[in-house]
């Protein structure tokens, strides 16, 4: 499975060292689920909307593995933020383009469903491929539904904690 979302540069607004991500748990689905071979990538995108070919959405050479786990358990109560601390901080440069966040996994080991809250961005800012065992599939289905996502790290300039759409970032200085 493969899922990609783009966060616009004007929504972030400053250079940013990203060290963790968190998703808001939806009340539906199971309290926890285990995912095999979960990886998170970040990179840059020159467009404000994504195309259906995953790799074409990145500015060439910017796709970077920031987290990898052979077995990742995601668990949380409804509306709880479920974090993942990155293995490698990602240095986002706001002058270089928009931020792509991509999550891949091979399968849900325990056959459970772990749903996260989402919001409608009004533009095609996500692409996903949901067939088990295909984390490198080249194309996916386009969507305007984005996950409620918290991006945590340290800003290089003066940032206020803010919300853009339903994606949030926090400055933990």
């Amino acid at each position: 499975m493969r899922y990609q979302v783009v966060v616009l540069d004007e929504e972030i607004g400053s250079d940013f060292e990203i060290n963790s991500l968190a998703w808001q748990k939806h009340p539906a689905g199971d309290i926890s689920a285990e995912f095999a071979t979960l990886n998170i990538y970040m990179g840059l995108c020159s467009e404000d909307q994504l195309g259906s070919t995953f790799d074409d959405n990145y500015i060439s050479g910017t796709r970077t593995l920031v987290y990898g786990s052979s077995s990742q358990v995601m668990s949380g109560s409804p509306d709880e933020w479920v974090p993942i601390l990155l293995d490698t901080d990602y240095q986002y440069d706001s002058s270089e383009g928009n931020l792509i966040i991509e999550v891949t996994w091979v399968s849900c080991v325990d056959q459970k469903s772990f749903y996260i809250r989402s919001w409608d961005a009004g533009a095609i800012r996500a692409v996903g491929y949901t067939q088990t065992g295909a984390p490198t599939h080249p194309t996916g289905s386009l969507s305007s539904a984005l996950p409620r996502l918290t991006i945590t790290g340290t800003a290089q300039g003066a940032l206020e904690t803010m919300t853009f759409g339903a994606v949030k970032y926090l400055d933990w200085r």
Side-chain angles (χ1 to χ4, degrees):
M1 301 197 190
R2 191 172 184 182
Y3 180 79
Q4 197 176 74
V5 63
V6 63
V7 180
L8 305 180
D9 57 352
E10 63 264 17
E11 294 172 333
I12 297 175
S14 179
D15 295 352
F16 200 57
E17 180 181 62
I18 301 167
N19 55 36
S20 72
L21 301 173
W23 292 267
Q24 190 176 31
K25 172 74 175 86
H26 193 280
D30 298 297
I31 301 246
S32 69
E34 182 180 357
F35 299 90
T37 316
L38 185 130
N39 292 310
I40 299 174
Y41 299 87
M42 292 185 182
L44 299 173
C45 179
S46 60
E47 302 298 323
D48 290 351
Q49 295 190 55
L50 296 178
S52 61
T53 303
F54 289 99
D55 291 345
D56 289 353
N57 291 322
Y58 287 100
I59 293 173
S60 183
T62 66
R63 184 177 190 240
T64 304
L65 179 66
V66 294
Y67 181 81
S69 176
S70 62
S71 176
Q72 177 69 43
V73 174
M74 300 291 286
S75 64
S77 301
D79 296 322
E80 182 179 355
W81 288 94
V82 181
I84 291 182
L85 182 63
L86 303 180
D87 295 331
T88 305
D89 290 352
Y90 184 80
Q91 302 294 323
Y92 172 72
D93 183 339
S94 60
S95 68
E96 298 289 322
N98 299 316
L99 174 68
I100 290 180
I101 299 171
E102 180 177 338
V103 182
T104 67
W105 64 98
V106 172
S107 66
C108 188
V109 175
D110 51 15
Q111 305 304 309
K112 293 183 178 178
S113 298
F114 190 80
Y115 297 120
I116 55 176
R117 288 200 177 271
S118 64
W119 62 285
D120 188 343
I124 304 300
R125 291 179 47 189
V127 59
Y129 183 79
T130 58
Q131 185 170 333
T132 299
T136 59
H137 198 275
T139 62
S141 300
L142 299 172
S143 176
S144 63
L146 300 183
R148 289 193 184 173
L149 176 66
T150 300
I151 303 170
T152 305
T154 304
Q156 303 304 312
L159 276 184
E160 295 180 30
T161 298
M162 66 175 291
T163 299
F164 45 97
V167 179
K168 298 182 178 188
Y169 68 84
L170 304 172
D171 184 11
W172 295 101
R173 283 186 262 177

